[in-house]
């Protein structure tokens, strides 16, 4: 799986050719066959748990002591996490098939009847970093939506990815579907990524999922269309009318449930009117487990908060660190969040319905929340079964990208002999 003798261009073109052929085969696949493939793949993951854990242990050992703890946590698999992957496949099997949905229908004065129907995009290139479960989620979503996928996971997860792809291909084989609907790049040569980004004859869409460096590389070098997932500098804003105890509880979850995911709150914004009460309670709840870095007002309110730098306001930590900013009311809070957010997910905590409405309307992020943890910004939590990423752009798809977002559409025109004058 890690053959450095492979020529990157030849290898990517061969993967693309096979993926294109598999995508054509999926066009006629029944919903039943796709669901069978997903359920059989879930069985293969479960039966292959010992081998997957062994492979993952080798991956983890290769980076421990060299990468941050949050990175290692994203890479590490456990029996519970593998079971979660298998359940996600089964949940996707239970979802409605997005392919063939009638999106619109209308009739023209000349009698032409026109339908707009959902169709697969085709071949998806998925480039991601340390989280091996992304390979399973992305493969399952692409399979159910009729797309072939070429996975390029990070070199640190190559052993885990090998086992996950084997399980997915076993499911496809059991269902009589083309196994090449799920493939992985079999070299860690970085030139293979560049070739995938240039493979316009084979790949219809590239989706990167990882840090800002990866996403910017894809954005800057891709000739293939892209669906970008930028970093998650997510904010939780405590408004003056918040239920303070509830807000502190929600923020602790939003920051510390899992610090290494893109929906984790990184920046805590607090209304000055309640800061004297909120800041000490927040420090009580979090300071033992999370380094808090605040502005001068926040530091003055509690000495457990360290002074922040200007860089802190725009940082996605992915670690137990959070910034704390005091603002002078709703308008200033909205302005602050809008300026520093990466427009992934932002939340307001308030019992004032009008304040919530203004925040939800004014904040131009992919996901905006009211009285909820930003860690709910997740395709599975949205009922999508899983997600292939959180899109932070504004074209085609935005927010969690699930089955519907992996479809395009075409027009079907029905006539009875019409000719155009």
């Amino acid at each position: 799986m890690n053959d450095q003798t492979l020529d990157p261009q030849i290898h990517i073109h061969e993967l693309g050719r096979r993926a294109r052929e598999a995508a054509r085969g999926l066009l006629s696949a029944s919903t039943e066959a796709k669901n069978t493939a997903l359920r059989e793949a879930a069985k293969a993951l479960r039966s292959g748990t010992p081998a997957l854990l062994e492979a993952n242990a080798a991956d983890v050992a290769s980076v421990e002591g060299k990468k941050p703890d949050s990175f290692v946590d994203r890479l590490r698999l456990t029996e519970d996490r593998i079971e979660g992957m298998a359940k996600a496949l089964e949940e996707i099997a239970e979802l409605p098939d997005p392919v063939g949905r009638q999106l619109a229908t209308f009739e023209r004065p000349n009698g032409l009847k026109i339908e707009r129907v959902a169709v697969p995009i085709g071949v998806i290139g998925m480039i991601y970093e340390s989280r091996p479960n992304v390979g399973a989620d992305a493969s399952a979503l692409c399979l159910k939506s009729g797309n072939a996928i070429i996975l390029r996971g990070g070199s640190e997860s190559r052993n885990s990815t090998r086992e996950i792809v084997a399980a997915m291909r076993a499911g496809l084989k059991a269902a009589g579907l083309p196994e090449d609907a799920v493939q992985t790049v079999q070299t860690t040569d970085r030139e293979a990524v560049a070739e995938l980004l240039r493979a316009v004859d084979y790949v219809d869409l590239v989706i990167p999922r990882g840090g800002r460096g990866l996403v910017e590389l894809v954005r800057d070098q891709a000739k293939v269309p892209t669906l970008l997932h930028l970093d998650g500098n997510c904010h939780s804003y405590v408004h003056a009318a918040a239920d303070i105890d509830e807000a502190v509880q929600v923020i602790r979850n939003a920051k510390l449930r899992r610090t290494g995911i893109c929906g984790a709150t990184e920046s805590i914004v607090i209304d000055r009117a309640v800061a004297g009460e909120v800041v000490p309670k927040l420090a009580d709840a979090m300071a033992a487990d999370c380094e808090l870095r605040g502005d001068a007002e926040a530091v003055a309110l509690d000495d457990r908060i360290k002074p922040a730098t200007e860089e802190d306001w725009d940082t996605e930590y992915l670690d137990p660190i959070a910034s704390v900013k005091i603002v002078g009311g709703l308008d200033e809070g909205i302005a602050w969040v809008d300026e520093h957010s990466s427009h992934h997910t932002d939340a307001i905590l308030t019992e004032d319905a009008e304040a919530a409405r203004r925040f939800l309307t004014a904040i131009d992020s992919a996901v905006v929340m009211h009285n909820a943890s930003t860690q709910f910004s997740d395709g599975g939590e949205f009922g999508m079964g899983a997600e292939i990423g959180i899109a932070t752009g504004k074209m085609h798809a935005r927010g969690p990208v699930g089955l519907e977002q992996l479809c395009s559409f075409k027009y079907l025109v029905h006539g009875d002999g019409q000719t155009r004058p």
Side-chain angles (χ1 to χ4, degrees):
M1 293 295 290
N2 185 24
D3 189 348
Q4 294 303 310
T5 65
L6 291 170
D7 179 280
Q9 183 181 57
I10 294 173
H11 180 50
I12 292 299
H13 285 202
E14 177 61 16
L15 291 178
R17 183 192 64 77
R18 290 159 57 184
R20 179 67 69 196
E21 185 175 339
R24 284 196 293 269
L26 288 179
L27 281 174
S28 58
S30 68
T31 300
E32 181 181 3
K34 292 188 287 187
N35 290 344
T36 296
L38 290 167
R39 295 187 181 108
E40 291 298 322
K43 291 179 184 177
L45 277 176
R46 291 190 177 102
S47 64
T49 293
L52 180 50
L53 287 174
E54 182 179 351
N56 182 251
D59 289 335
V60 170
S62 72
V63 299
E64 277 189 309
K66 304 173 186 176
K67 296 284 188 178
D69 290 346
S70 57
F71 182 99
V72 176
D73 176 65
R74 293 194 297 275
L75 176 61
R76 191 186 307 277
L77 291 176
T78 63
E79 288 190 6
D80 285 345
R81 289 184 180 181
I82 294 171
E83 176 60 23
M85 290 162 54
K87 285 183 177 178
L89 267 59
E90 292 170 335
E91 289 170 4
I92 292 169
E94 293 299 318
L95 294 173
D97 192 333
V99 179
R101 287 174 298 129
Q102 188 181 76
L103 305 176
T105 180
F106 48 96
E107 185 171 348
R108 300 295 297 146
N110 61 6
L112 286 177
K113 296 177 181 178
I114 302 174
E115 297 177 84
R116 186 166 67 241
V117 298
V119 296
I121 290 172
V123 176
I124 309 294
M126 184 74 194
I127 304 172
Y128 57 102
E129 292 179 331
S130 59
R131 293 176 63 184
N133 65 294
V134 170
D137 290 349
S139 298
L141 289 167
C142 283
L143 169 56
K144 184 64 180 271
S145 57
N147 296 287
I149 187 168
I150 300 171
L151 299 168
R152 205 295 187 176
S155 59
E156 67 283 339
S157 63
R158 61 184 178 272
N159 295 303
S160 307
T161 299
R162 179 189 66 237
E163 299 297 330
I164 290 168
V165 168
M168 295 302 305
R169 290 173 68 91
L172 287 160
K173 183 177 181 179
L177 296 177
E179 293 178 57
D180 286 337
V182 177
Q183 300 180 85
T184 183
V185 175
Q186 298 180 21
T187 174
T188 56
D189 188 331
R190 292 187 178 183
E191 182 59 24
V193 173
E195 287 296 337
L196 187 61
L197 296 177
R198 293 192 290 260
V200 293
D201 291 334
Y202 304 104
V203 180
D204 296 292
L205 180 69
V206 168
I207 303 175
R209 184 164 174 178
R212 177 173 285 271
L214 169 64
V215 176
E216 290 181 345
L217 179 145
V218 170
R219 180 196 65 193
D220 295 342
Q221 295 190 12
K223 293 186 178 179
V224 175
T226 59
L227 187 63
L228 299 182
H229 169 126
L230 290 177
D231 54 341
N233 184 21
C234 303
H235 292 67
S236 288
Y237 167 49
V238 183
H239 178 249
D243 178 324
I244 291 173
D245 290 335
E246 178 184 280
V248 169
Q249 179 182 4
V250 168
I251 290 173
R252 177 177 170 84
N253 177 270
K255 176 66 226 181
L256 293 175
R257 173 188 165 272
R258 287 190 70 183
T259 60
I261 66 172
C262 58
T265 284
E266 305 287 21
S267 300
I268 303 164
V269 183
I270 303 171
D271 202 309
R272 185 172 291 118
V274 291
E277 183 178 358
V278 173
V279 170
K281 287 189 174 185
L282 191 68
D284 287 342
M286 297 182 64
D289 305 305
C290 179
E291 180 180 327
L292 299 174
R293 301 176 182 176
D295 62 9
E297 288 186 72
V299 171
L301 287 168
D302 198 293
D303 60 11
R304 290 170 289 183
I305 299 178
K306 299 180 179 180
T309 67
E310 285 301 311
E311 184 180 2
D312 282 303
W313 310 127
D314 300 298
T315 298
E316 180 189 32
Y317 299 109
L318 300 174
D319 272 316
I321 307 169
S323 64
V324 181
K325 173 66 179 177
I326 310 299
V327 295
L330 180 61
D331 288 341
E332 189 177 331
I334 288 172
W336 180 267
V337 173
D338 187 62
E339 179 181 356
H340 296 281
S341 172
S342 62
H343 303 292
H344 181 296
T345 301
D346 298 296
I348 184 172
L349 299 153
T350 184
E351 299 304 304
D352 184 329
E354 177 58 21
R357 186 197 64 77
R358 285 184 56 199
F359 187 91
L360 295 174
T361 302
I363 296 300
D364 188 22
S365 295
V367 180
V368 192
M369 298 184 170
H370 174 209
N371 286 349
S373 167
T374 57
Q375 298 223 4
F376 281 111
S377 188
D378 174 88
E381 295 296 330
F382 278 29
M384 298 176 176
E387 69 184 32
I388 206 167
I390 306 282
T392 51
K394 298 184 182 182
M395 301 300 291
H396 170 62
R398 198 176 191 198
V401 178
L403 294 174
E404 292 185 13
Q405 293 76 24
L406 289 173
C407 288
S408 181
F409 57 82
K410 66 181 179 182
Y411 290 93
L412 306 180
V413 181
H414 307 277
D416 55 3
Q418 286 90 337
T419 60
R420 186 170 177 177

